[in-house]
Coordinates of all heavy atoms in Angstrom, one line a residue:
M1 N 143.5 144.9 61.3 CA 143.9 144.1 62.4 C 142.7 143.1 62.8 O 141.6 143.5 62.9 CB 144.2 145.0 63.7 CG 144.6 144.2 64.9 SD 145.1 145.5 66.1 CE 145.2 144.6 67.5
L2 N 143.0 141.9 62.9 CA 142.0 140.9 63.2 C 141.6 140.9 64.6 O 142.6 140.9 65.5 CB 142.5 139.5 62.8 CG 142.7 139.2 61.3 CD1 143.3 137.8 61.1 CD2 141.3 139.3 60.6
K3 N 140.4 140.9 64.9 CA 139.9 140.7 66.3 C 139.9 139.3 66.7 O 139.4 138.4 66.0 CB 138.6 141.3 66.4 CG 138.5 142.8 66.4 CD 137.2 143.4 66.8 CE 137.2 144.9 66.7 NZ 135.8 145.4 67.1
R4 N 140.5 139.0 67.8 CA 140.4 137.6 68.3 C 139.1 137.4 69.1 O 138.7 138.2 69.9 CB 141.5 137.3 69.3 CG 142.9 137.3 68.7 CD 143.9 136.8 69.7 NE 144.7 135.9 69.2 CZ 145.8 135.5 69.8 NH1 146.1 136.0 71.0 NH2 146.5 134.5 69.3
K5 N 138.4 136.3 68.7 CA 137.2 135.9 69.4 C 137.6 135.4 70.8 O 138.4 134.5 71.0 CB 136.4 134.9 68.6 CG 135.1 134.7 69.2 CD 134.3 133.7 68.3 CE 133.0 133.5 68.9 NZ 132.2 132.6 68.2
E6 N 137.0 136.1 71.8 CA 137.2 135.6 73.2 C 136.6 134.2 73.3 O 135.5 134.0 72.9 CB 136.5 136.6 74.1 CG 137.0 138.0 74.1 CD 138.3 138.1 74.8 OE1 138.5 137.4 75.8 OE2 139.2 138.9 74.4
P7 N 137.3 133.3 74.0 CA 136.8 132.0 74.2 C 135.5 132.1 75.2 O 135.6 132.9 76.1 CB 137.9 131.2 74.9 CG 138.9 132.2 75.4 CD 138.7 133.5 74.5
E8 N 134.5 131.4 74.8 CA 133.3 131.5 75.7 C 133.6 130.9 77.0 O 134.2 129.8 77.0 CB 132.1 130.8 75.0 CG 131.6 131.5 73.8 CD 130.4 130.9 73.2 OE1 130.6 129.8 72.6 OE2 129.3 131.4 73.3
E9 N 133.1 131.5 78.0 CA 133.3 131.0 79.3 C 132.3 129.8 79.6 O 131.2 129.9 79.2 CB 133.0 132.1 80.4 CG 133.8 131.9 81.6 CD 133.7 133.2 82.4 OE1 134.1 134.2 82.0 OE2 133.1 133.1 83.6
A10 N 132.8 128.8 80.2 CA 132.0 127.6 80.5 C 130.9 128.0 81.5 O 131.1 128.9 82.3 CB 132.8 126.5 81.0
L11 N 129.7 127.4 81.3 CA 128.6 127.6 82.2 C 128.8 126.7 83.4 O 129.0 125.4 83.2 CB 127.3 127.2 81.4 CG 127.0 128.0 80.2 CD1 125.9 127.3 79.4 CD2 126.7 129.4 80.5
Q12 N 128.8 127.3 84.5 CA 129.1 126.5 85.8 C 127.8 126.2 86.6 O 127.1 127.2 87.0 CB 130.1 127.3 86.7 CG 131.4 127.6 86.0 CD 132.3 126.5 85.8 OE1 132.3 125.5 86.6 NE2 133.0 126.4 84.7
G13 N 127.5 124.9 86.7 CA 126.3 124.6 87.6 C 125.0 124.5 86.7 O 124.9 125.0 85.7
W14 N 124.1 123.7 87.3 CA 122.8 123.4 86.7 C 122.0 124.7 86.4 O 121.4 124.8 85.4 CB 122.0 122.4 87.4 CG 122.6 121.0 87.3 CD1 123.0 120.2 88.3 CD2 122.7 120.2 86.1 NE1 123.5 119.0 87.8 CE2 123.3 119.0 86.5 CE3 122.4 120.5 84.8 CZ2 123.6 118.0 85.5 CZ3 122.7 119.5 83.8 CH2 123.3 118.3 84.2
P15 N 122.0 125.6 87.4 CA 121.2 126.8 87.2 C 121.7 127.6 85.9 O 120.9 128.1 85.2 CB 121.3 127.6 88.5 CG 121.6 126.6 89.5 CD 122.4 125.5 88.8
A16 N 123.0 127.7 85.8 CA 123.5 128.5 84.7 C 123.3 127.8 83.3 O 122.9 128.4 82.4 CB 125.1 128.7 84.9
I17 N 123.4 126.5 83.3 CA 123.1 125.7 82.1 C 121.7 125.8 81.8 O 121.3 126.0 80.6 CB 123.6 124.2 82.3 CG1 125.1 124.2 82.4 CG2 123.1 123.4 81.1 CD1 125.6 122.8 83.0
A18 N 120.8 125.7 82.7 CA 119.4 125.8 82.5 C 119.0 127.1 82.0 O 118.1 127.2 81.1 CB 118.6 125.4 83.8
K19 N 119.5 128.2 82.6 CA 119.2 129.5 82.1 C 119.7 129.7 80.7 O 118.9 130.3 79.9 CB 119.9 130.6 83.0 CG 119.6 131.9 82.7 CD 120.2 132.9 83.7 CE 119.9 134.4 83.3 NZ 120.5 135.3 84.1
F20 N 120.8 129.2 80.3 CA 121.3 129.3 78.9 C 120.3 128.6 78.0 O 120.1 129.1 76.9 CB 122.7 128.7 78.8 CG 123.3 128.7 77.4 CD1 123.8 129.8 76.9 CD2 123.2 127.5 76.7 CE1 124.3 129.9 75.6 CE2 123.6 127.5 75.4 CZ 124.3 128.7 74.9
L21 N 119.8 127.4 78.4 CA 118.9 126.7 77.5 C 117.4 127.2 77.6 O 116.6 126.7 76.9 CB 118.9 125.2 78.0 CG 120.2 124.5 77.9 CD1 120.1 123.2 78.6 CD2 120.6 124.3 76.4
S22 N 117.2 128.1 78.5 CA 115.8 128.6 78.7 C 114.9 127.5 79.1 O 113.8 127.4 78.7 CB 115.3 129.4 77.6 OG 116.1 130.5 77.2
Q23 N 115.4 126.7 80.0 CA 114.6 125.4 80.5 C 114.8 125.4 81.9 O 115.7 125.9 82.6 CB 115.2 124.2 79.8 CG 115.1 124.1 78.3 CD 113.6 124.0 77.9 OE1 112.8 123.3 78.5 NE2 113.3 124.7 76.8
P24 N 113.9 124.6 82.6 CA 114.1 124.4 84.1 C 115.3 123.5 84.3 O 115.7 122.7 83.4 CB 112.8 123.6 84.4 CG 111.9 123.7 83.3 CD 112.7 124.1 82.1
V25 N 115.8 123.5 85.5 CA 117.0 122.7 85.9 C 116.7 121.2 85.7 O 117.6 120.5 85.1 CB 117.4 123.0 87.4 CG1 118.4 122.0 87.8 CG2 118.0 124.4 87.5
S26 N 115.5 120.8 86.0 CA 115.2 119.4 85.8 C 115.3 119.0 84.4 O 115.7 117.8 84.1 CB 113.8 119.0 86.4 OG 112.8 119.9 85.7
T27 N 114.9 119.8 83.5 CA 115.0 119.5 82.0 C 116.4 119.4 81.6 O 116.8 118.5 80.9 CB 114.2 120.5 81.2 OG1 112.9 120.5 81.6 CG2 114.3 120.2 79.7
A28 N 117.3 120.4 82.0 CA 118.7 120.3 81.7 C 119.3 119.0 82.2 O 120.2 118.4 81.6 CB 119.4 121.5 82.3
Q29 N 119.0 118.6 83.4 CA 119.5 117.4 84.0 C 119.0 116.2 83.2 O 119.9 115.2 83.0 CB 119.1 117.3 85.5 CG 119.8 118.3 86.3 CD 119.3 118.3 87.8 OE1 118.1 118.1 88.0 NE2 120.1 118.8 88.7
R30 N 117.8 116.2 82.8 CA 117.3 115.1 82.0 C 118.0 115.0 80.7 O 118.5 113.9 80.2 CB 115.8 115.2 81.8 CG 115.2 114.0 81.0 CD 113.7 114.1 80.9 NE 113.1 115.4 80.7 CZ 112.8 116.0 79.5 NH1 113.2 115.3 78.4 NH2 112.3 117.1 79.5
W31 N 118.1 116.2 80.0 CA 118.9 116.2 78.7 C 120.3 115.7 78.9 O 120.8 115.0 78.0 CB 118.8 117.6 78.2 CG 117.5 118.0 77.6 CD1 116.3 117.2 77.6 CD2 117.1 119.2 77.1 NE1 115.3 118.0 77.0 CE2 115.7 119.2 76.7 CE3 117.8 120.4 76.8 CZ2 115.1 120.3 76.1 CZ3 117.2 121.5 76.3 CH2 115.8 121.4 75.9
A32 N 121.0 116.0 80.0 CA 122.3 115.5 80.2 C 122.3 114.1 80.4 O 123.3 113.4 79.8 CB 122.9 116.2 81.5
S33 N 121.3 113.5 81.0 CA 121.3 112.0 81.1 C 121.0 111.3 79.7 O 121.2 110.2 79.5 CB 120.2 111.6 82.1 OG 118.9 111.8 81.6
E34 N 120.5 112.1 78.8 CA 120.2 111.6 77.4 C 121.2 112.0 76.4 O 121.1 111.8 75.2 CB 118.8 112.2 76.9 CG 117.6 111.8 77.8 CD 116.3 112.6 77.5 OE1 116.3 113.5 76.6 OE2 115.3 112.2 78.0
G35 N 122.3 112.5 76.9 CA 123.5 112.7 76.0 C 123.9 114.1 75.8 O 124.8 114.4 75.0
M36 N 123.3 115.1 76.4 CA 123.8 116.5 76.3 C 125.2 116.6 76.8 O 125.4 116.1 77.9 CB 122.8 117.4 77.0 CG 123.1 118.9 76.9 SD 122.0 120.0 77.7 CE 122.3 119.7 79.4
P37 N 126.0 117.4 76.1 CA 127.5 117.4 76.6 C 127.7 118.3 77.8 O 127.5 119.5 77.8 CB 128.2 118.0 75.4 CG 127.1 118.8 74.7 CD 125.9 118.0 74.9
V38 N 128.0 117.7 78.9 CA 128.3 118.3 80.2 C 129.5 117.7 80.7 O 129.9 116.5 80.4 CB 127.2 118.3 81.2 CG1 126.0 119.1 80.7 CG2 126.8 116.9 81.6
T39 N 130.4 118.4 81.5 CA 131.6 117.9 82.1 C 131.3 117.8 83.6 O 130.9 118.8 84.2 CB 132.7 118.8 81.8 OG1 132.9 119.0 80.4 CG2 134.0 118.3 82.5
R40 N 131.5 116.7 84.2 CA 131.3 116.4 85.6 C 132.6 116.3 86.3 O 133.4 115.5 85.8 CB 130.4 115.3 85.8 CG 129.0 115.4 85.3 CD 128.3 114.0 85.5 NE 127.1 113.9 84.7 CZ 125.8 114.4 85.1 NH1 125.7 114.9 86.3 NH2 124.8 114.3 84.3
T41 N 132.8 117.1 87.3 CA 134.0 117.0 88.1 C 133.5 116.8 89.6 O 133.1 117.8 90.2 CB 134.8 118.2 88.0 OG1 135.2 118.5 86.6 CG2 136.2 118.1 88.8
G42 N 133.5 115.6 90.0 CA 132.9 115.4 91.4 C 131.4 115.7 91.3 O 130.7 115.2 90.5
R43 N 131.0 116.5 92.2 CA 129.6 116.9 92.2 C 129.2 118.1 91.4 O 128.1 118.6 91.4 CB 129.1 117.0 93.6 CG 129.7 118.2 94.3 CD 129.2 118.2 95.8 NE 129.4 119.5 96.3 CZ 128.9 119.9 97.5 NH1 128.3 119.1 98.3 NH2 129.1 121.2 97.8
Y44 N 130.3 118.7 90.8 CA 130.1 119.9 90.0 C 129.9 119.6 88.6 O 130.4 118.6 88.1 CB 131.3 120.8 90.1 CG 131.5 121.2 91.6 CD1 132.4 120.6 92.4 CD2 130.6 122.2 92.2 CE1 132.6 121.0 93.7 CE2 130.8 122.5 93.5 CZ 131.7 121.9 94.3 OH 131.9 122.3 95.6
V45 N 129.2 120.4 87.8 CA 128.9 120.2 86.4 C 129.2 121.6 85.6 O 129.0 122.6 86.2 CB 127.4 119.7 86.2 CG1 126.4 120.8 86.6 CG2 127.2 119.3 84.8
A46 N 129.7 121.4 84.4 CA 129.9 122.6 83.6 C 129.6 122.2 82.1 O 129.5 121.0 81.8 CB 131.3 123.0 83.7
A47 N 129.4 123.2 81.3 CA 129.1 122.9 79.9 C 129.6 124.1 79.1 O 129.5 125.3 79.5 CB 127.6 122.7 79.7
S48 N 129.9 123.9 77.9 CA 130.4 124.9 76.9 C 129.2 125.4 76.1 O 128.5 124.5 75.6 CB 131.4 124.3 76.0 OG 131.5 125.1 74.8
P49 N 128.9 126.7 76.0 CA 127.8 127.2 75.3 C 127.9 126.7 73.7 O 126.8 126.3 73.2 CB 127.9 128.7 75.3 CG 128.6 128.9 76.6 CD 129.6 127.8 76.8
A50 N 129.1 126.7 73.1 CA 129.2 126.3 71.8 C 128.9 124.8 71.6 O 128.1 124.4 70.7 CB 130.6 126.5 71.3
E51 N 129.3 124.0 72.6 CA 129.0 122.5 72.5 C 127.5 122.3 72.7 O 126.9 121.5 72.0 CB 129.7 121.7 73.6 CG 131.2 121.6 73.2 CD 132.0 120.8 74.2 OE1 131.3 120.1 75.1 OE2 133.2 120.8 74.2
L52 N 126.8 123.1 73.6 CA 125.4 123.0 73.8 C 124.6 123.3 72.5 O 123.7 122.6 72.1 CB 124.9 123.8 75.0 CG 125.4 123.4 76.4 CD1 124.9 124.4 77.4 CD2 124.9 122.0 76.7
E53 N 125.0 124.4 71.8 CA 124.4 124.8 70.6 C 124.5 123.7 69.5 O 123.6 123.4 68.8 CB 124.9 126.1 70.2 CG 124.3 127.2 71.0 CD 124.7 128.6 70.5 OE1 125.1 128.7 69.3 OE2 124.5 129.6 71.3
R54 N 125.7 123.1 69.4 CA 125.9 122.0 68.4 C 125.0 120.8 68.7 O 124.5 120.3 67.9 CB 127.4 121.7 68.4 CG 128.3 122.6 67.5 CD 129.6 122.0 67.3 NE 130.5 121.7 68.4 CZ 131.2 122.7 69.1 NH1 131.2 123.9 68.5 NH2 131.9 122.4 70.1
W55 N 125.0 120.5 70.0 CA 124.1 119.4 70.5 C 122.6 119.6 70.1 O 122.0 118.8 69.6 CB 124.3 119.1 71.9 CG 123.5 117.9 72.5 CD1 123.8 116.6 72.3 CD2 122.2 118.0 73.1 NE1 122.8 115.9 72.9 CE2 121.9 116.6 73.4 CE3 121.4 119.0 73.5 CZ2 120.7 116.3 74.0 CZ3 120.3 118.7 74.2 CH2 119.9 117.4 74.5
L56 N 122.2 120.8 70.4 CA 120.8 121.2 70.2 C 120.5 121.2 68.7 O 119.4 120.7 68.3 CB 120.5 122.6 70.7 CG 120.3 122.7 72.2 CD1 120.3 124.2 72.6 CD2 119.1 122.0 72.7
T57 N 121.4 121.5 67.8 CA 121.3 121.5 66.4 C 121.1 120.1 65.9 O 120.2 119.8 65.2 CB 122.4 122.2 65.7 OG1 122.5 123.5 66.1 CG2 122.3 122.1 64.2
R58 N 121.9 119.1 66.5 CA 121.8 117.8 66.1 C 120.5 117.2 66.6 O 119.8 116.4 65.9 CB 123.0 116.9 66.7 CG 124.3 117.1 66.0 CD 125.3 116.0 66.4 NE 125.4 115.9 67.8 CZ 126.3 116.6 68.6 NH1 127.1 117.4 68.0 NH2 126.4 116.4 69.9
E59 N 120.1 117.5 67.8 CA 118.9 117.0 68.4 C 117.6 117.5 67.6 O 116.6 116.8 67.5 CB 118.8 117.3 69.8 CG 119.7 116.6 70.7 CD 119.5 115.1 70.7 OE1 118.4 114.6 70.9 OE2 120.5 114.4 70.3
A60 N 117.7 118.7 67.1 CA 116.6 119.3 66.4 C 116.5 118.8 65.0 O 115.4 118.9 64.4 CB 116.8 120.8 66.3
G61 N 117.5 118.1 64.5 CA 117.5 117.4 63.2 C 117.4 118.4 62.1 O 116.8 118.2 61.1
T62 N 118.1 119.5 62.2 CA 118.1 120.5 61.2 C 119.5 120.8 60.8 O 120.5 120.7 61.6 CB 117.4 121.8 61.8 OG1 117.4 122.7 60.6 CG2 118.0 122.3 62.9
K63 N 119.7 121.4 59.6 CA 121.0 121.8 59.2 C 121.3 123.2 59.7 O 122.4 123.6 59.7 CB 121.0 121.8 57.6 CG 121.0 120.4 57.1 CD 121.0 120.4 55.6 CE 120.8 119.0 55.1 NZ 120.7 119.0 53.6
E64 N 120.2 123.9 60.1 CA 120.5 125.3 60.6 C 120.9 125.2 62.0 O 120.5 124.4 62.8 CB 119.1 126.0 60.5 CG 118.8 126.4 59.1 CD 117.6 127.4 59.0 OE1 117.5 128.2 60.0 OE2 116.9 127.4 58.1
T65 N 121.7 126.2 62.4 CA 122.1 126.3 63.8 C 121.0 126.7 64.7 O 120.2 127.6 64.3 CB 123.3 127.3 63.9 OG1 124.3 127.0 63.1 CG2 123.7 127.5 65.3
V66 N 120.8 126.1 65.8 CA 119.8 126.4 66.7 C 120.3 127.7 67.5 O 121.4 127.8 67.9 CB 119.5 125.3 67.7 CG1 118.6 125.8 68.9 CG2 119.0 124.1 67.0
H67 N 119.5 128.7 67.5 CA 119.9 129.9 68.2 C 119.2 130.1 69.5 O 118.0 129.9 69.6 CB 119.5 131.1 67.3 CG 119.9 132.4 67.8 ND1 121.2 132.8 67.9 CD2 119.2 133.4 68.4 CE1 121.3 134.1 68.4 NE2 120.0 134.4 68.8
I68 N 119.9 130.3 70.5 CA 119.4 130.5 71.8 C 119.5 132.0 72.1 O 120.5 132.7 72.0 CB 120.2 129.7 72.9 CG1 120.1 128.3 72.6 CG2 119.7 130.1 74.3 CD1 121.0 127.4 73.4
S69 N 118.3 132.6 72.5 CA 118.3 134.0 72.7 C 118.9 134.5 73.9 O 119.0 133.8 74.9 CB 116.8 134.5 72.6 OG 116.1 134.0 73.8
S70 N 119.4 135.7 73.8 CA 120.1 136.4 75.0 C 119.5 137.8 75.1 O 118.7 138.1 74.2 CB 121.6 136.4 74.8 OG 121.9 137.2 73.8
P71 N 119.8 138.5 76.1 CA 119.3 139.8 76.2 C 119.6 140.7 75.1 O 118.8 141.7 74.8 CB 119.9 140.3 77.5 CG 120.2 139.1 78.3 CD 120.6 138.1 77.3
N72 N 120.6 140.4 74.3 CA 121.1 141.3 73.2 C 120.5 140.9 71.9 O 120.9 141.3 70.9 CB 122.6 141.4 73.2 CG 123.1 142.0 74.5 OD1 122.5 142.8 75.1 ND2 124.3 141.5 74.8
T73 N 119.7 139.8 71.9 CA 119.2 139.1 70.7 C 118.1 140.0 70.0 O 117.3 140.5 70.7 CB 118.6 137.8 71.0 OG1 119.7 137.0 71.5 CG2 118.1 137.1 69.7
D74 N 118.1 140.1 68.7 CA 117.1 140.8 68.0 C 116.1 139.7 67.6 O 116.2 139.0 66.7 CB 117.7 141.4 66.7 CG 116.6 142.2 65.8 OD1 115.4 142.2 66.3 OD2 116.9 142.7 64.8
L75 N 115.0 139.6 68.4 CA 114.1 138.5 68.3 C 113.2 138.7 67.0 O 112.8 137.7 66.4 CB 113.1 138.5 69.5 CG 113.8 138.1 70.8 CD1 112.9 138.1 71.9 CD2 114.5 136.7 70.7
R76 N 113.0 140.0 66.6 CA 112.3 140.2 65.3 C 113.0 139.6 64.1 O 112.4 139.0 63.3 CB 112.0 141.7 65.1 CG 111.0 142.3 66.0 CD 110.7 143.7 65.7 NE 111.9 144.5 66.1 CZ 112.1 145.7 65.7 NH1 111.3 146.3 64.9 NH2 113.3 146.2 66.0
A77 N 114.3 139.8 64.1 CA 115.0 139.2 63.0 C 115.0 137.7 63.0 O 114.9 137.0 62.0 CB 116.5 139.7 63.0
D78 N 115.1 137.1 64.2 CA 115.0 135.7 64.3 C 113.6 135.2 63.9 O 113.5 134.1 63.2 CB 115.3 135.2 65.8 CG 116.7 135.3 66.1 OD1 117.6 135.5 65.2 OD2 117.1 135.3 67.3
L79 N 112.6 135.9 64.3 CA 111.2 135.5 63.9 C 111.0 135.6 62.4 O 110.5 134.6 61.8 CB 110.2 136.4 64.6 CG 108.7 136.1 64.3 CD1 108.4 134.7 64.6 CD2 107.8 137.1 65.0
K80 N 111.5 136.6 61.7 CA 111.4 136.8 60.3 C 112.1 135.7 59.6 O 111.6 135.1 58.6 CB 112.0 138.1 59.9 CG 111.1 139.3 60.2 CD 111.7 140.6 59.8 CE 110.8 141.7 60.2 NZ 111.5 143.1 59.8
R81 N 113.4 135.3 60.1 CA 114.1 134.2 59.5 C 113.4 132.9 59.6 O 113.3 132.1 58.7 CB 115.5 134.1 60.2 CG 116.4 133.1 59.5 CD 117.8 133.0 60.2 NE 117.7 133.0 61.7 CZ 117.5 131.9 62.3 NH1 117.4 130.6 61.7 NH2 117.5 131.8 63.7
G82 N 112.8 132.7 60.8 CA 112.1 131.5 61.1 C 110.8 131.3 60.2 O 110.5 130.2 59.6
L83 N 110.1 132.4 60.1 CA 108.9 132.4 59.2 C 109.2 132.2 57.8 O 108.5 131.4 57.0 CB 108.2 133.7 59.3 CG 107.4 133.9 60.7 CD1 106.8 135.2 60.8 CD2 106.3 132.9 60.8
S84 N 110.4 132.8 57.3 CA 110.8 132.6 55.9 C 111.1 131.2 55.6 O 110.7 130.5 54.6 CB 112.0 133.5 55.7 OG 112.5 133.2 54.4
H85 N 111.8 130.5 56.6 CA 112.2 129.1 56.5 C 111.0 128.2 56.5 O 110.8 127.3 55.6 CB 113.1 128.7 57.6 CG 113.5 127.3 57.6 ND1 114.4 126.8 56.6 CD2 113.2 126.3 58.4 CE1 114.6 125.6 56.9 NE2 113.9 125.2 57.9
A86 N 110.0 128.5 57.3 CA 108.8 127.7 57.4 C 108.0 127.9 56.1 O 107.4 126.9 55.6 CB 107.9 128.2 58.6
R87 N 107.9 129.0 55.5 CA 107.2 129.2 54.2 C 107.8 128.4 53.1 O 107.1 127.9 52.3 CB 107.1 130.7 53.9 CG 106.2 131.5 54.7 CD 106.1 132.9 54.3 NE 105.3 133.7 55.2 CZ 105.7 134.7 55.9 NH1 106.9 135.1 55.8 NH2 104.8 135.3 56.7
K88 N 109.2 128.3 53.1 CA 109.9 127.5 52.1 C 109.5 126.0 52.2 O 109.5 125.3 51.3 CB 111.3 127.7 52.2 CG 111.8 129.1 51.8 CD 113.3 129.2 52.0 CE 113.7 130.6 51.7 NZ 115.2 130.8 52.1
L89 N 109.3 125.5 53.5 CA 109.0 124.2 53.7 C 107.5 123.8 53.5 O 107.2 122.6 53.2 CB 109.3 123.8 55.1 CG 110.8 123.9 55.5 CD1 110.9 123.6 56.9 CD2 111.6 123.0 54.6
R90 N 106.6 124.8 53.4 CA 105.2 124.6 53.3 C 104.8 124.1 51.9 O 105.4 124.7 51.0 CB 104.4 125.8 53.6 CG 102.9 125.7 53.6 CD 102.2 126.9 54.0 NE 102.9 128.1 53.7 CZ 102.5 129.3 53.9 NH1 101.2 129.5 54.5 NH2 103.2 130.4 53.7
P91 N 104.1 123.0 51.8 CA 103.7 122.6 50.4 C 102.9 123.6 49.6 O 102.1 124.3 50.3 CB 102.9 121.3 50.6 CG 102.6 121.3 52.1 CD 103.5 122.2 52.8
K92 N 103.1 123.8 48.4 CA 102.3 124.7 47.6 C 101.0 124.1 47.4 O 100.7 123.0 47.1 CB 103.0 124.9 46.2 CG 104.5 125.4 46.3 CD 104.5 126.8 46.2 CE 105.9 127.3 46.2 NZ 106.1 128.6 46.4
K93 N 100.0 125.1 47.4 CA 98.6 124.7 47.2 C 98.4 124.6 45.6 O 98.8 125.5 44.9 CB 97.6 125.7 47.7 CG 97.6 125.7 49.2 CD 96.5 126.6 49.8 CE 96.4 126.6 51.2 NZ 95.5 127.5 51.8
S94 N 97.7 123.6 45.1 CA 97.4 123.5 43.7 C 96.2 124.2 43.4 O 95.2 124.2 44.2 CB 97.3 122.0 43.3 OG 96.3 121.4 44.0
P95 N 96.1 124.9 42.2 CA 94.9 125.6 41.9 C 93.8 124.7 41.7 O 93.9 123.6 41.1 CB 95.3 126.3 40.6 CG 96.6 125.8 40.1 CD 97.2 125.0 41.2
S96 N 92.6 125.1 42.2 CA 91.4 124.2 42.1 C 90.5 124.6 41.0 O 90.2 125.7 40.7 CB 90.6 124.2 43.4 OG 91.4 123.9 44.5

């Protein structure tokens, strides 16, 4: 039996968006003015976690998905993956 993926709940308000991004509210607001996808309804603002991650990936200029940590995130695995990626990008030293 296939499990249906629950639709991600929209982040409501600047504090929720900023917490998701691990940034201050002022940074989230600035990023929104620079094109970060948010939905404004009157004075209220909301954003989709999936859309924010896609936007961050584009802004980071990488083909890899940008991962935003949460309380359930295995940070050691993310660190190992990041170090492995960085080592691949590092130029090889020529023997002297």
Side-chain angles (χ1 to χ4, degrees):
M1 181 170 165
L2 292 174
K3 288 186 178 181
R4 289 183 134 173
K5 187 175 180 182
E6 295 286 324
E8 289 184 291
E9 209 169 298
L11 302 165
Q12 302 290 326
W14 288 118
I17 294 168
K19 183 177 179 183
F20 177 80
L21 297 169
S22 300
Q23 297 292 325
V25 170
S26 60
T27 300
Q29 291 171 332
R30 180 171 43 86
W31 287 358
S33 71
E34 295 172 356
M36 183 177 72
V38 295
T39 304
R40 296 176 194 270
T41 306
R43 65 182 202 175
Y44 300 101
V45 66
S48 158
E51 287 181 15
L52 292 178
E53 287 188 15
R54 280 193 296 275
W55 180 80
L56 286 169
T57 300
R58 283 193 312 269
E59 289 299 304
T62 180
K63 293 178 184 173
E64 288 190 30
T65 302
V66 172
H67 181 75
I68 298 171
S69 65
S70 67
N72 300 327
T73 302
D74 180 3
L75 296 177
R76 286 184 295 165
D78 287 345
L79 179 60
K80 287 179 183 178
R81 183 179 51 82
L83 289 172
S84 174
H85 180 71
R87 286 183 183 120
K88 290 176 188 174
L89 297 177
R90 184 175 31 176
K92 302 267 185 196
K93 291 184 179 179
S94 61
S96 307

